[in-house]
Amino acid sequence: MKFLNEEELKKVIEKKKLSSYSDEILNQLNEVIKQNLNLILKSYKNKEKLAKSNSEKDSIPFLDAYPDYNLSQLPSWVRENINEAIVVGSSKKVVQINDGRKYHLDNSLNDLSGQEWTFFTCSVINTRYPTQGKEGYAHHIRKVHPSPKPPQLTKEIISFFTKENEWVLDYFMGVGGTLLGASLCNRRAIGIDLNGFYIEKYKEAAKALNLDLQHTIQGDAIEILANKQSLISDILKGEKVSLVLIDPPYGDMMSRKKTGEAIKKKQDSSATPFTDSPKDLGNMEAADFYKNLKNSVQNSLKFLKEGGHVVIFIKDIQPKGKQLNLLHADLIYLINEIDELYYLGTKIWADHSVNLFPYGYPFSYVSNQIHQYILIFKKKTEKANR
């Protein structure tokens, strides 16, 4: 890697017309450059350590170690580099390709390298996904929904909890963030939504992104999961899903009138419910919301394989007096009551693309909630039930 000297850096600044900016901005820019250089240097040092460590380990070409191995069981990124892949370490279970990525042959959960696995397990996700251009992933179409999930984020979640070509179920699909994410990482998916308009917008977005359409069902997911299960079974044809990934309406949060900034700016403060249907979880009072959501998760488990996962997005409502409104905590306890499931942990997604407003100013603290909770549960295996 070639680094710029001082004279070269001055030329870059002049060429990019950065010299017109204040010293404060240039100092901030310089700090960002330093931070990124440190990350790059750290990455190179880690690769050097890895190369040194590998040189000290026993290694053998993969095809020599496993001449009869069923290569279809390997992730595509390993198969594509199989002729140069080596088996490292005394366990003879770790496959390494030329760029240093490693895959453990006993990994029955996903197709990730060890480094990717470790990165995903960080409990906090910080993102600022673009909403325009190619990296917006058809946000201009999907934004008709009050809270569309970024396909990049759902892709990361799906990639951790499934292998290629496995099934994902999202029965609150909205405009299809989960389905788009599944297509981006070569998984199959089923989406259900009460609102046919949102399903059509998903299809429009998938077409704009040149992605294959996933399976969709229009209807009341609560009713379908309880009494019309064949609509899902007919698609699965005897297979099971590996992941149930849902982003349910957060109680009646969206069906309430807006307050705060909308009123200050004299904007429309009307409620923005997902639908007008009384069957919509987003139009239910808290008790009914919790009851129906728990029942939906319980009923979805018949489609989920043993050891599969249930992942739920949830966001807290602002506290009111002594009322805490900690939906994520309430939901953890509630879902963990289901015998077949147990709670694994939480990831916090901080969405830095959310605008900050001076809520409560200048009288009281009111949180700008840019984060959501991603709750992770696992279905017990038959062995664990014994």
Side-chain angles (χ1 to χ4, degrees):
M1 176 182 293
K2 182 180 183 296
F3 295 100
L4 300 178
N5 60 37
E6 191 173 343
E7 284 302 315
E8 289 171 323
L9 188 58
K10 284 181 181 178
K11 289 180 181 178
V12 170
I13 291 174
E14 206 52 52
K15 185 177 180 181
K16 299 293 183 183
K17 298 182 180 179
L18 295 177
S19 57
S20 61
Y21 293 104
S22 68
D23 289 343
E24 182 182 356
I25 292 176
L26 290 175
N27 286 336
Q28 290 176 359
L29 177 61
N30 189 44
E31 189 57 37
V32 170
I33 292 171
K34 281 182 182 178
Q35 290 174 4
N36 281 280
L37 283 176
N38 285 334
L39 289 173
I40 294 169
L41 289 171
K42 185 177 180 180
S43 174
Y44 270 81
K45 287 177 181 177
N46 287 338
K47 286 182 179 179
E48 287 174 358
K49 287 180 183 178
L50 177 65
K52 183 180 178 182
S53 173
N54 288 338
S55 67
E56 297 169 353
K57 293 179 180 177
D58 295 333
S59 65
I60 183 172
F62 180 86
L63 295 176
D64 289 349
Y66 295 99
D68 300 319
Y69 198 88
N70 182 358
L71 299 182
S72 66
Q73 296 179 353
L74 296 172
S76 58
W77 60 271
V78 177
R79 292 198 305 271
E80 291 162 2
N81 296 277
I82 200 64
N83 290 325
E84 293 78 35
I86 57 174
V87 177
V88 297
S90 58
S91 71
K92 305 299 182 189
K93 292 285 189 177
V94 179
V95 187
Q96 180 180 309
I97 65 173
N98 278 351
D99 63 7
R101 282 182 290 170
K102 294 179 179 179
Y103 176 76
H104 201 291
L105 295 177
D106 289 341
N107 183 350
S108 60
L109 177 58
N110 57 46
D111 292 331
L112 300 184
S113 68
Q115 188 176 38
E116 291 169 324
W117 179 301
T118 303
F119 183 79
F120 182 86
T121 58
C122 178
S123 61
V124 178
I125 308 171
N126 288 286
T127 69
R128 189 186 289 274
Y129 295 120
T131 56
Q132 296 180 344
K134 183 180 178 181
E135 294 305 310
Y137 284 90
H139 180 79
H140 64 288
I141 297 171
R142 298 183 295 108
K143 69 180 181 180
V144 296
H145 191 277
S147 59
K149 284 295 173 288
Q152 307 96 306
L153 177 59
T154 60
K155 174 190 172 185
E156 295 301 316
I157 295 170
I158 293 167
S159 294
F160 188 87
F161 291 107
T162 66
K163 285 181 169 289
E164 288 180 277
N165 209 39
E166 290 187 336
W167 283 100
V168 181
L169 172 63
D170 179 359
Y171 54 84
F172 295 122
M173 65 167 276
V175 286
T178 294
L179 276 60
L180 295 173
S183 295
L184 290 171
C185 57
N186 193 29
R187 271 64 167 176
R188 294 174 290 169
I190 301 172
I192 304 173
D193 204 89
L194 193 60
N195 192 332
F197 175 69
Y198 289 152
I199 294 177
E200 289 306 311
K201 285 300 176 181
Y202 152 69
K203 292 177 179 178
E204 187 180 334
K207 184 178 179 181
L209 295 169
N210 199 28
L211 294 173
D212 291 337
L213 285 178
Q214 301 283 3
H215 297 271
T216 57
I217 302 170
Q218 182 184 352
D220 176 14
I222 308 300
E223 174 68 16
I224 290 170
L225 289 167
N227 302 312
K228 299 180 180 179
Q229 300 156 17
S230 63
L231 291 176
I232 301 173
S233 299
D234 289 347
I235 296 171
L236 291 174
K237 293 181 169 46
E239 294 186 78
K240 295 279 189 178
V241 303
S242 297
L243 172 65
V244 174
L245 175 58
I246 56 173
D247 177 25
Y250 310 144
D252 61 354
M253 181 186 295
M254 300 303 296
S255 60
R256 299 177 183 182
K257 284 188 67 175
K258 291 184 175 63
T259 58
E261 195 63 21
I263 292 176
K264 285 181 184 178
K265 291 188 173 183
K266 298 183 179 179
Q267 295 173 342
D268 183 9
S269 62
S270 303
T272 53
F274 298 104
T275 71
D276 295 326
S277 172
K279 296 180 179 179
D280 190 333
L281 263 69
N283 296 326
M284 294 181 183
E285 296 293 332
D288 289 334
F289 164 75
Y290 284 125
K291 176 184 174 183
N292 281 281
L293 183 56
K294 181 182 179 181
N295 286 342
S296 75
V297 173
Q298 175 78 68
N299 289 328
S300 75
L301 297 184
K302 62 179 65 69
F303 303 107
L304 183 65
K305 71 179 185 181
E306 287 186 7
H309 293 81
V310 175
V311 176
I312 306 173
F313 281 91
I314 198 72
K315 184 176 183 178
D316 291 340
I317 298 175
Q318 291 283 7
K320 188 174 182 180
K322 285 289 187 178
Q323 191 174 345
L324 300 179
N325 291 330
L326 298 176
L327 269 65
H328 82 279
D330 294 339
L331 199 55
I332 289 170
Y333 283 109
L334 188 72
I335 301 301
N336 208 48
E337 290 174 356
I338 299 173
D339 287 340
E340 295 170 83
L341 287 180
Y342 59 92
Y343 172 64
L344 290 183
T346 295
K347 289 173 72 71
I348 298 172
W349 170 39
D351 180 7
H352 292 277
S353 66
V354 174
N355 292 326
L356 299 181
F357 297 110
Y359 297 131
Y361 178 83
F363 304 108
S364 178
Y365 173 79
V366 178
S367 176
N368 267 278
Q369 293 196 55
I370 69 164
H371 70 284
Q372 295 183 35
Y373 298 91
I374 303 172
L375 313 180
I376 302 165
F377 301 84
K378 185 174 183 178
K379 185 178 180 180
K380 294 177 182 178
T381 61
E382 217 174 278
K383 183 178 179 181
N385 285 328
R386 292 188 191 127

